[in-house]
Amino acid sequence: MRDLLVPYYEHPSVRPAEWDAIIAAAPRLYGVVLNPASGPGEAPDPAFAEVAARLRNADVRVLGYADTDYGRRPGADVVRDLARHRDWYGADGVFLDQVAAGREEFGYYQRLATAAWGAGHGTLVLNHGTAPHPSYARIADVLVTFEGTWATYTRLGPQQWRGGSGVRLCHLVYGVPAGADLAAPARERGATVHCAVPGEGAHPWGTLPHGLELGSAQ
């Protein structure tokens, strides 16, 4: 089952074995977020282009990362990032980060969705980090309705999504202890896509998801 969404923010030339482990886990992957430089960067990066090609050859979605600053970033800048991800890395989807959750910002994201579809991106993932207004389900394939620590996740308990069943939900959890199972509690909360990593602090997404540690994905 393709239920693992991997945001792995390390350079392939620095962590080649880790990227090999991610690609080896292709049958489990819903998609991989490509983030060369808090976005596509200012010029194509050959190492990321090679990784993106390997992911596509393994039938894995490549999702280009773009920050939206909760609707404050100029839309033209976001659209430029989406075009660069497509042109430089062959991205077939988009992972929009720091997405606002309120109804009043929906128009901004609806315009970005239209631009993404027009650029040939077939998958749109919105990372709200919390449950957004149900309107966002109309434009997204996946809504990230939780991003945070394992301690917070387990303390909150099940909180069911009430915005309809036409979109997949995703939970991104860091600081997850070894041996902890995220798949079961994610399903209890209605999420069919997830990622659990051990990393903590300001850069948790520089660690491999549990189950994809080196040597375990073969």
Side-chain angles (χ1 to χ4, degrees):
M1 181 178 180
R2 292 178 177 264
D3 58 1
L4 187 60
L5 175 64
V6 180
Y8 185 64
Y9 301 158
E10 294 293 328
H11 199 277
S13 66
V14 177
R15 301 284 181 85
E18 285 81 355
W19 277 102
D20 288 346
I22 291 171
I23 293 166
R28 296 178 51 197
L29 301 179
Y30 176 84
V32 174
V33 181
L34 211 68
N35 187 11
S38 296
E42 294 301 318
D45 186 315
F48 273 102
E50 180 184 5
V51 159
R54 292 174 64 195
L55 288 166
R56 292 196 306 274
N57 289 339
D59 196 28
V60 176
R61 289 182 182 86
V62 176
L63 305 171
Y65 176 98
D67 181 19
T68 69
D69 193 23
Y70 301 104
R72 294 185 293 262
R73 190 176 179 214
D77 291 350
V78 180
V79 172
R80 179 198 61 203
D81 283 356
L82 305 188
R84 287 177 172 178
H85 277 299
R86 178 203 61 205
D87 295 343
W88 297 348
Y89 306 114
D92 44 20
V94 176
F95 181 92
L96 297 184
D97 199 16
Q98 298 200 106
V99 175
R103 179 66 179 87
E104 57 273 18
E105 293 90 5
F106 176 72
Y108 169 90
Y109 290 99
Q110 190 172 38
R111 292 188 292 273
L112 290 182
T114 299
W117 298 328
H121 293 289
T123 301
L124 179 60
V125 180
L126 301 181
N127 183 15
H128 304 275
T130 188
H133 187 276
S135 59
Y136 290 91
R138 303 206 304 264
I139 60 173
D141 297 281
V142 176
L143 297 176
V144 179
T145 57
F146 180 89
E147 181 180 2
T149 66
W150 175 253
T152 300
Y153 191 69
T154 54
R155 185 172 64 249
L156 283 175
Q159 293 181 318
Q160 293 294 336
W161 163 252
R162 303 187 185 280
S165 59
V167 66
R168 298 184 73 174
L169 305 183
C170 175
H171 294 165
L172 302 178
V173 188
Y174 51 88
V176 180
D181 175 32
L182 178 59
R187 284 193 300 269
E188 292 174 1
R189 294 160 169 82
T192 59
V193 183
H194 56 81
C195 187
V197 299
E200 299 181 281
H203 184 50
W205 304 112
T207 54
L208 285 177
H210 286 306
L212 267 66
E213 291 84 0
L214 297 185
S216 66
Q218 302 295 332

